Amino acid sequence: MSETVQPQLLHLVIGGELLDLDHVTFKDLDKVEVVGLFPNYATAYVAWKGKAQQTVDNAHMRYFIVHLHRLLDPGQDAKPSH
């Protein structure tokens, strides 16, 4: 019996305090928080939203979802042109 393996679309959630609100430059790279690695966007979004809501009082704190699957396999999202 063969099992169907779901594709792994890895996502990384990171965050930290930014220098200013106009750029994505972290104030201190040593303090960037790695929230976690997730197998799909939906679970990464839940983690991102939770962390973002915890830091809503600090306008310079930002969390991001990094689409690692796009970095690991750039052609994966490409659609054939017909």
Coordinates of all heavy atoms in Angstrom, one line a residue:
M1 N 0.8 -1.2 0.0 CA 0.0 0.0 0.0 C 0.9 1.2 0.0 O 1.7 1.4 0.9 CB -0.9 0.0 1.2 CG -1.9 1.0 1.4 SD -2.8 0.5 2.8 CE -4.0 1.7 3.0
S2 N 0.7 2.1 -1.0 CA 1.6 3.3 -1.1 C 0.8 4.5 -0.4 O -0.4 4.6 -0.6 CB 1.9 3.6 -2.5 OG 0.8 3.9 -3.2
E3 N 1.6 5.3 0.3 CA 1.1 6.5 0.9 C 1.3 7.7 0.0 O 2.3 7.8 -0.7 CB 1.7 6.7 2.2 CG 1.4 5.7 3.3 CD 2.1 6.0 4.6 OE1 2.2 7.2 4.9 OE2 2.4 5.1 5.3
T4 N 0.4 8.6 -0.1 CA 0.5 9.8 -0.8 C 1.2 10.8 0.1 O 0.7 11.1 1.1 CB -0.8 10.3 -1.3 OG1 -1.5 9.3 -2.0 CG2 -0.7 11.6 -2.1
V5 N 2.4 11.3 -0.4 CA 3.1 12.2 0.4 C 2.7 13.6 -0.1 O 2.8 13.9 -1.3 CB 4.7 12.0 0.2 CG1 5.4 13.1 0.9 CG2 5.0 10.6 0.7
Q6 N 2.3 14.4 0.9 CA 2.0 15.8 0.6 C 3.2 16.6 0.3 O 4.3 16.4 1.0 CB 1.2 16.4 1.8 CG -0.1 15.8 2.0 CD -1.1 16.1 0.9 OE1 -1.1 17.1 0.3 NE2 -1.9 15.1 0.6
P7 N 3.2 17.5 -0.7 CA 4.4 18.3 -0.9 C 4.7 19.2 0.3 O 3.8 19.7 0.9 CB 4.0 19.2 -2.1 CG 2.5 19.2 -2.2 CD 2.1 17.9 -1.5
Q8 N 6.0 19.3 0.6 CA 6.4 20.2 1.7 C 6.8 21.5 1.1 O 7.7 21.7 0.4 CB 7.7 19.6 2.3 CG 7.5 19.2 3.7 CD 8.8 18.6 4.3 OE1 9.9 18.8 3.8 NE2 8.7 18.0 5.5
L9 N 6.0 22.5 1.5 CA 6.3 23.9 1.1 C 6.8 24.6 2.3 O 6.0 25.3 3.1 CB 5.0 24.5 0.5 CG 4.5 23.9 -0.7 CD1 3.2 24.5 -1.2 CD2 5.5 23.8 -1.8
L10 N 8.1 24.5 2.6 CA 8.6 25.0 3.9 C 8.5 26.5 4.0 O 8.8 27.2 3.0 CB 10.1 24.6 4.0 CG 10.4 23.1 4.1 CD1 11.9 22.8 4.1 CD2 9.7 22.5 5.3
H11 N 8.1 27.0 5.2 CA 8.1 28.4 5.5 C 8.7 28.6 6.8 O 8.6 27.8 7.7 CB 6.6 28.8 5.6 CG 5.9 28.8 4.3 ND1 5.5 27.7 3.7 CD2 5.6 29.8 3.4 CE1 4.9 27.9 2.5 NE2 4.9 29.3 2.4
L12 N 9.4 29.7 6.9 CA 10.2 30.1 8.1 C 9.5 31.4 8.7 O 9.3 32.4 7.9 CB 11.6 30.4 7.8 CG 12.5 31.0 8.9 CD1 12.7 29.9 10.0 CD2 13.9 31.4 8.4
V13 N 9.3 31.5 10.0 CA 8.7 32.7 10.6 C 9.8 33.3 11.5 O 10.3 32.6 12.3 CB 7.4 32.4 11.4 CG1 6.9 33.7 12.1 CG2 6.4 31.8 10.5
I14 N 10.2 34.5 11.2 CA 11.2 35.2 12.0 C 10.7 36.6 12.3 O 9.7 37.1 11.7 CB 12.5 35.4 11.2 CG1 12.4 36.2 10.0 CG2 13.1 34.0 10.9 CD1 13.7 36.6 9.3
G15 N 11.3 37.2 13.3 CA 10.9 38.6 13.6 C 11.8 39.3 14.6 O 12.7 38.6 15.2
G16 N 11.7 40.6 14.7 CA 12.5 41.4 15.5 C 12.2 42.8 15.4 O 11.3 43.2 14.6
E17 N 12.9 43.6 16.1 CA 12.7 45.1 16.1 C 13.5 45.7 14.9 O 14.7 45.4 14.7 CB 13.2 45.7 17.4 CG 12.8 47.1 17.6 CD 13.0 47.6 19.0 OE1 13.6 46.9 19.8 OE2 12.6 48.8 19.2
L18 N 12.8 46.5 14.1 CA 13.4 47.2 13.0 C 14.0 48.5 13.4 O 13.5 49.1 14.3 CB 12.3 47.4 11.9 CG 11.6 46.1 11.4 CD1 10.6 46.5 10.3 CD2 12.6 45.1 10.8
L19 N 15.0 49.0 12.6 CA 15.5 50.3 12.8 C 14.5 51.4 12.6 O 14.4 52.4 13.3 CB 16.7 50.5 11.9 CG 18.0 49.9 12.3 CD1 19.1 50.1 11.2 CD2 18.5 50.4 13.6
D20 N 13.7 51.3 11.5 CA 12.7 52.2 11.2 C 11.6 51.5 10.4 O 11.7 50.4 10.0 CB 13.2 53.4 10.4 CG 13.9 53.0 9.0 OD1 13.2 52.4 8.2 OD2 15.0 53.4 8.8
L21 N 10.5 52.2 10.2 CA 9.3 51.6 9.6 C 9.4 51.6 8.1 O 8.5 51.0 7.4 CB 8.0 52.3 10.1 CG 7.8 52.2 11.6 CD1 6.6 52.9 12.0 CD2 7.8 50.8 12.1
D22 N 10.3 52.3 7.5 CA 10.4 52.4 6.0 C 11.3 51.3 5.4 O 11.3 51.1 4.2 CB 11.0 53.7 5.6 CG 10.1 54.9 6.0 OD1 8.8 54.7 6.0 OD2 10.6 55.9 6.4
H23 N 12.0 50.5 6.2 CA 12.9 49.5 5.7 C 12.8 48.2 6.5 O 12.4 48.2 7.6 CB 14.4 50.0 5.7 CG 14.5 51.3 5.0 ND1 14.4 52.5 5.6 CD2 14.8 51.5 3.6 CE1 14.6 53.5 4.7 NE2 14.8 52.9 3.5
V24 N 13.3 47.1 5.9 CA 13.3 45.8 6.6 C 14.8 45.6 7.0 O 15.5 44.8 6.4 CB 12.8 44.7 5.8 CG1 12.9 43.4 6.6 CG2 11.4 45.0 5.3
T25 N 15.2 46.4 8.0 CA 16.6 46.3 8.6 C 16.4 46.1 10.1 O 15.9 47.0 10.8 CB 17.4 47.6 8.3 OG1 17.4 47.8 6.9 CG2 18.8 47.4 8.8
F26 N 16.9 45.0 10.5 CA 16.7 44.7 12.0 C 17.7 45.5 12.8 O 18.8 45.7 12.4 CB 16.9 43.2 12.2 CG 15.8 42.3 11.7 CD1 16.0 41.6 10.6 CD2 14.6 42.3 12.3 CE1 15.0 40.8 10.0 CE2 13.6 41.5 11.8 CZ 13.8 40.7 10.7
K27 N 17.2 46.0 13.9 CA 18.0 46.8 14.8 C 19.2 46.0 15.4 O 20.3 46.5 15.5 CB 17.1 47.3 16.0 CG 17.8 48.2 16.9 CD 16.7 48.7 17.9 CE 17.3 49.7 18.9 NZ 16.3 50.2 19.8
D28 N 19.0 44.7 15.7 CA 20.1 43.9 16.3 C 19.8 42.5 15.8 O 18.9 41.8 16.3 CB 20.0 44.0 17.8 CG 21.1 43.2 18.5 OD1 21.9 42.5 17.8 OD2 21.3 43.4 19.7
L29 N 20.7 42.0 14.9 CA 20.6 40.7 14.4 C 20.7 39.6 15.4 O 20.1 38.5 15.3 CB 21.6 40.4 13.3 CG 21.3 41.1 11.9 CD1 22.4 40.8 10.9 CD2 20.0 40.6 11.3
D30 N 21.4 39.9 16.5 CA 21.5 38.9 17.6 C 20.2 38.7 18.3 O 20.0 37.7 19.0 CB 22.6 39.3 18.6 CG 24.0 39.2 18.0 OD1 24.2 38.3 17.1 OD2 24.9 40.0 18.4
K31 N 19.3 39.6 18.1 CA 18.0 39.5 18.8 C 16.8 39.1 17.9 O 15.7 39.1 18.3 CB 17.7 40.8 19.5 CG 18.6 41.1 20.7 CD 18.2 42.4 21.4 CE 19.2 42.6 22.5 NZ 18.9 43.9 23.2
V32 N 17.1 38.8 16.6 CA 16.1 38.3 15.7 C 15.6 36.9 16.2 O 16.4 36.0 16.5 CB 16.6 38.2 14.3 CG1 15.6 37.5 13.4 CG2 16.9 39.6 13.7
E33 N 14.3 36.8 16.4 CA 13.7 35.6 16.9 C 13.3 34.7 15.7 O 12.6 35.1 14.8 CB 12.5 35.9 17.7 CG 11.7 34.7 18.2 CD 10.5 35.1 19.0 OE1 10.1 36.3 19.0 OE2 9.9 34.1 19.5
V34 N 13.8 33.5 15.8 CA 13.3 32.4 14.9 C 12.2 31.7 15.5 O 12.3 31.0 16.5 CB 14.5 31.4 14.5 CG1 14.0 30.3 13.6 CG2 15.6 32.2 13.9
V35 N 11.0 32.0 15.0 CA 9.8 31.4 15.6 C 9.7 30.0 15.3 O 9.3 29.1 16.1 CB 8.5 32.2 15.1 CG1 7.2 31.6 15.7 CG2 8.6 33.7 15.5
G36 N 10.0 29.6 14.0 CA 9.9 28.2 13.7 C 9.9 28.0 12.2 O 9.7 28.9 11.4
L37 N 10.0 26.7 11.9 CA 9.9 26.2 10.5 C 8.6 25.4 10.3 O 8.3 24.6 11.2 CB 11.1 25.3 10.2 CG 11.3 24.8 8.8 CD1 11.6 25.9 7.9 CD2 12.5 23.8 8.8
F38 N 7.9 25.7 9.3 CA 6.6 25.1 9.1 C 6.4 24.5 7.8 O 7.0 24.9 6.8 CB 5.5 26.2 9.3 CG 5.6 26.9 10.7 CD1 6.4 28.0 10.9 CD2 5.0 26.3 11.8 CE1 6.6 28.6 12.1 CE2 5.1 26.9 13.0 CZ 5.9 28.0 13.2
P39 N 5.6 23.4 7.7 CA 5.5 22.6 6.5 C 4.6 23.2 5.4 O 4.5 22.8 4.3 CB 4.9 21.3 6.9 CG 4.1 21.7 8.1 CD 4.9 22.8 8.8
N40 N 3.8 24.3 5.8 CA 3.0 25.0 4.8 C 2.7 26.4 5.2 O 2.9 26.8 6.4 CB 1.7 24.1 4.6 CG 1.0 23.9 5.9 OD1 0.7 24.8 6.6 ND2 0.7 22.6 6.1
Y41 N 2.1 27.2 4.3 CA 1.8 28.6 4.7 C 0.8 28.7 5.8 O 0.9 29.6 6.6 CB 1.3 29.3 3.4 CG 1.0 30.7 3.6 CD1 2.1 31.7 3.6 CD2 -0.3 31.2 3.9 CE1 1.8 33.0 3.9 CE2 -0.5 32.5 4.2 CZ 0.5 33.4 4.2 OH 0.3 34.8 4.4
A42 N -0.3 27.8 5.8 CA -1.3 27.9 6.8 C -0.8 27.9 8.2 O -1.2 28.7 9.0 CB -2.4 26.9 6.5
T43 N 0.1 26.9 8.5 CA 0.6 26.8 9.8 C 1.6 27.9 10.1 O 1.6 28.4 11.3 CB 1.3 25.4 10.1 OG1 2.3 25.2 9.1 CG2 0.2 24.3 10.0
A44 N 2.3 28.4 9.1 CA 3.2 29.5 9.3 C 2.4 30.8 9.7 O 2.8 31.6 10.5 CB 4.1 29.7 8.1
Y45 N 1.3 30.9 9.0 CA 0.5 32.1 9.2 C -0.1 32.2 10.6 O -0.1 33.2 11.2 CB -0.7 32.1 8.2 CG -1.6 33.3 8.4 CD1 -1.3 34.6 7.8 CD2 -2.8 33.2 9.1 CE1 -2.1 35.7 8.0 CE2 -3.6 34.3 9.3 CZ -3.3 35.5 8.7 OH -4.1 36.6 8.9
V46 N -0.5 31.0 11.1 CA -1.0 31.0 12.5 C 0.1 31.4 13.5 O -0.1 32.2 14.4 CB -1.5 29.5 12.8 CG1 -1.8 29.4 14.3 CG2 -2.7 29.2 12.0
A47 N 1.3 30.9 13.3 CA 2.5 31.3 14.2 C 2.8 32.8 14.0 O 3.0 33.5 15.0 CB 3.7 30.4 13.8
W48 N 2.8 33.2 12.8 CA 3.1 34.7 12.5 C 2.1 35.5 13.2 O 2.4 36.5 13.9 CB 3.1 34.9 11.0 CG 3.1 36.4 10.7 CD1 4.2 37.2 10.6 CD2 1.9 37.2 10.4 NE1 3.8 38.5 10.3 CE2 2.4 38.5 10.2 CE3 0.6 36.9 10.3 CZ2 1.5 39.5 9.9 CZ3 -0.3 37.9 10.1 CH2 0.2 39.2 9.8
K49 N 0.8 35.2 13.0 CA -0.2 36.0 13.6 C -0.2 36.1 15.1 O -0.3 37.1 15.7 CB -1.6 35.5 13.1 CG -2.8 36.4 13.5 CD -4.1 35.8 13.0 CE -5.2 36.7 13.4 NZ -6.5 36.2 12.8
G50 N 0.1 34.9 15.7 CA 0.2 34.9 17.2 C 1.4 35.8 17.7 O 1.2 36.5 18.7
K51 N 2.5 35.7 17.0 CA 3.7 36.6 17.5 C 3.4 38.0 17.2 O 3.7 38.9 18.0 CB 4.9 36.1 16.8 CG 5.4 34.8 17.2 CD 5.6 34.6 18.7 CE 6.8 35.3 19.2 NZ 7.1 35.0 20.6
A52 N 2.8 38.3 16.0 CA 2.5 39.7 15.7 C 1.5 40.3 16.7 O 1.7 41.5 17.1 CB 1.9 39.8 14.3
Q53 N 0.5 39.6 17.1 CA -0.4 40.1 18.1 C 0.2 40.3 19.5 O -0.2 41.2 20.2 CB -1.6 39.1 18.2 CG -2.5 39.2 16.9 CD -3.7 38.2 17.0 OE1 -3.6 37.2 17.7 NE2 -4.7 38.5 16.2
Q54 N 1.2 39.5 19.8 CA 1.8 39.7 21.1 C 2.6 40.9 21.2 O 2.9 41.5 22.3 CB 2.8 38.5 21.4 CG 2.1 37.2 21.7 CD 3.1 36.0 21.8 OE1 4.3 36.2 21.8 NE2 2.6 34.8 22.0
T55 N 3.1 41.5 20.0 CA 4.0 42.6 20.0 C 3.3 43.8 19.4 O 4.0 44.8 19.0 CB 5.3 42.3 19.2 OG1 4.9 41.9 17.9 CG2 6.0 41.2 19.9
V56 N 2.0 43.9 19.4 CA 1.2 44.9 18.8 C 1.5 46.3 19.4 O 1.4 47.3 18.7 CB -0.3 44.6 18.8 CG1 -0.9 44.8 20.1 CG2 -1.0 45.5 17.8
D57 N 2.0 46.4 20.6 CA 2.2 47.7 21.3 C 3.6 48.3 20.8 O 3.8 49.5 21.1 CB 2.2 47.5 22.8 CG 0.9 47.2 23.3 OD1 -0.1 47.6 22.7 OD2 0.8 46.6 24.4
N58 N 4.4 47.5 20.1 CA 5.7 48.0 19.7 C 5.7 48.1 18.2 O 5.8 47.1 17.5 CB 6.9 47.1 20.1 CG 8.2 47.7 19.7 OD1 8.3 48.6 18.9 ND2 9.3 47.1 20.3
A59 N 5.5 49.3 17.6 CA 5.4 49.5 16.2 C 6.6 49.1 15.4 O 6.5 48.8 14.2 CB 5.1 51.0 15.9
H60 N 7.8 49.0 16.1 CA 9.0 48.6 15.3 C 9.2 47.1 15.3 O 10.1 46.6 14.7 CB 10.2 49.3 16.0 CG 10.3 50.8 15.6 ND1 9.6 51.7 16.3 CD2 10.9 51.4 14.6 CE1 9.9 52.9 15.8 NE2 10.6 52.7 14.7
M61 N 8.4 46.4 16.0 CA 8.5 44.9 16.0 C 7.7 44.4 14.8 O 6.6 44.7 14.6 CB 7.9 44.3 17.3 CG 8.8 44.4 18.5 SD 10.4 43.5 18.3 CE 9.8 41.8 18.6
R62 N 8.4 43.5 14.0 CA 7.8 43.0 12.8 C 8.1 41.5 12.7 O 9.3 41.1 13.0 CB 8.2 43.7 11.6 CG 7.8 45.1 11.4 CD 6.3 45.1 11.1 NE 5.9 46.3 10.5 CZ 5.5 47.4 11.1 NH1 5.6 47.5 12.4 NH2 5.1 48.5 10.5
Y63 N 7.2 40.7 12.3 CA 7.4 39.3 12.0 C 7.1 39.0 10.6 O 6.3 39.7 9.9 CB 6.5 38.4 12.9 CG 7.0 38.4 14.3 CD1 6.7 39.4 15.3 CD2 7.9 37.4 14.7 CE1 7.2 39.4 16.5 CE2 8.5 37.4 16.0 CZ 8.1 38.4 16.9 OH 8.6 38.4 18.2
F64 N 7.9 38.1 10.0 CA 7.8 37.8 8.6 C 7.7 36.3 8.3 O 8.2 35.5 9.1 CB 9.1 38.3 7.9 CG 9.3 39.8 8.0 CD1 10.1 40.3 9.1 CD2 8.7 40.7 7.2 CE1 10.3 41.6 9.3 CE2 8.9 42.1 7.3 CZ 9.7 42.5 8.4
I65 N 7.0 36.0 7.2 CA 6.9 34.6 6.8 C 7.8 34.6 5.5 O 7.6 35.3 4.5 CB 5.5 34.2 6.4 CG1 4.6 34.3 7.6 CG2 5.5 32.8 5.8 CD1 3.1 34.0 7.3
V66 N 8.9 33.7 5.6 CA 9.8 33.6 4.5 C 9.5 32.3 3.8 O 9.4 31.2 4.4 CB 11.3 33.5 5.0 CG1 12.3 33.3 3.9 CG2 11.6 34.7 5.9
H67 N 9.2 32.3 2.5 CA 8.9 31.2 1.7 C 10.1 30.4 1.3 O 10.7 30.6 0.2 CB 8.1 31.6 0.4 CG 6.8 32.4 0.7 ND1 5.6 31.7 0.8 CD2 6.6 33.7 1.1 CE1 4.7 32.6 1.1 NE2 5.3 33.8 1.3
L68 N 10.6 29.6 2.2 CA 11.8 28.8 2.0 C 11.8 27.9 0.8 O 12.7 27.7 0.1 CB 12.2 28.0 3.2 CG 12.7 28.7 4.4 CD1 13.1 27.8 5.5 CD2 13.9 29.6 4.1
H69 N 10.6 27.4 0.5 CA 10.5 26.5 -0.6 C 10.8 27.2 -2.0 O 11.3 26.6 -2.9 CB 9.0 25.8 -0.7 CG 7.9 26.8 -0.9 ND1 7.4 27.1 -2.1 CD2 7.3 27.6 0.0 CE1 6.4 28.0 -2.0 NE2 6.4 28.3 -0.7
R70 N 10.5 28.5 -2.0 CA 10.9 29.2 -3.2 C 12.4 29.4 -3.4 O 12.9 29.5 -4.5 CB 10.2 30.6 -3.2 CG 8.7 30.5 -3.3 CD 8.0 31.8 -3.3 NE 6.6 31.7 -3.4 CZ 5.7 32.6 -3.1 NH1 6.2 33.9 -2.8 NH2 4.4 32.4 -3.2
L71 N 13.1 29.5 -2.3 CA 14.5 29.6 -2.3 C 15.2 28.3 -2.6 O 16.2 28.3 -3.3 CB 15.0 30.2 -1.0 CG 14.5 31.6 -0.6 CD1 15.0 31.9 0.8 CD2 15.0 32.6 -1.5
L72 N 14.6 27.2 -2.1 CA 15.2 25.9 -2.3 C 15.0 25.4 -3.7 O 15.8 24.6 -4.2 CB 14.6 24.9 -1.2 CG 15.0 25.2 0.2 CD1 14.2 24.3 1.1 CD2 16.4 25.1 0.5
D73 N 13.8 25.7 -4.3 CA 13.5 25.2 -5.6 C 12.8 26.4 -6.4 O 11.5 26.4 -6.4 CB 12.6 24.0 -5.5 CG 12.3 23.3 -6.9 OD1 12.9 23.8 -7.9 OD2 11.6 22.4 -6.9
P74 N 13.5 27.3 -6.9 CA 12.9 28.5 -7.5 C 11.9 28.2 -8.7 O 11.0 28.9 -8.9 CB 14.1 29.3 -8.0 CG 15.3 28.8 -7.3 CD 15.0 27.4 -6.9
G75 N 12.1 27.1 -9.4 CA 11.3 26.8 -10.5 C 10.0 26.1 -10.1 O 9.1 25.9 -10.9
Q76 N 9.9 25.8 -8.8 CA 8.7 25.0 -8.3 C 7.4 25.8 -8.5 O 6.4 25.2 -8.8 CB 8.9 24.8 -6.8 CG 7.8 24.2 -6.1 CD 8.2 23.9 -4.7 OE1 9.2 23.2 -4.5 NE2 7.5 24.4 -3.7
D77 N 7.4 27.1 -8.4 CA 6.2 27.9 -8.5 C 5.9 28.3 -10.0 O 4.9 28.9 -10.2 CB 6.2 29.2 -7.6 CG 6.1 28.8 -6.2 OD1 5.6 27.7 -5.8 OD2 6.6 29.6 -5.3
A78 N 6.8 28.1 -10.8 CA 6.7 28.5 -12.2 C 5.5 27.7 -12.9 O 5.5 26.5 -12.7 CB 8.0 28.3 -13.0
K79 N 4.7 28.4 -13.6 CA 3.6 27.8 -14.3 C 4.0 27.7 -15.8 O 4.5 28.6 -16.3 CB 2.3 28.6 -14.1 CG 1.9 28.6 -12.7 CD 0.5 29.2 -12.5 CE 0.3 29.2 -11.0 NZ -1.0 29.5 -10.7
P80 N 3.7 26.6 -16.4 CA 4.0 26.4 -17.8 C 3.2 27.5 -18.7 O 2.0 27.7 -18.4 CB 3.6 25.0 -18.2 CG 2.7 24.6 -17.1 CD 3.0 25.4 -15.9
S81 N 3.8 28.0 -19.6 CA 3.1 29.0 -20.5 C 2.5 28.2 -21.7 O 3.2 27.4 -22.4 CB 4.0 30.1 -21.0 OG 5.1 29.5 -21.7
H82 N 1.3 28.4 -21.9 CA 0.6 27.8 -23.1 C 0.0 28.8 -24.0 O -0.5 29.8 -23.7 CB -0.6 26.9 -22.6 CG -0.1 25.7 -21.8 ND1 0.3 24.5 -22.5 CD2 0.2 25.5 -20.5 CE1 0.7 23.6 -21.6 NE2 0.6 24.2 -20.4

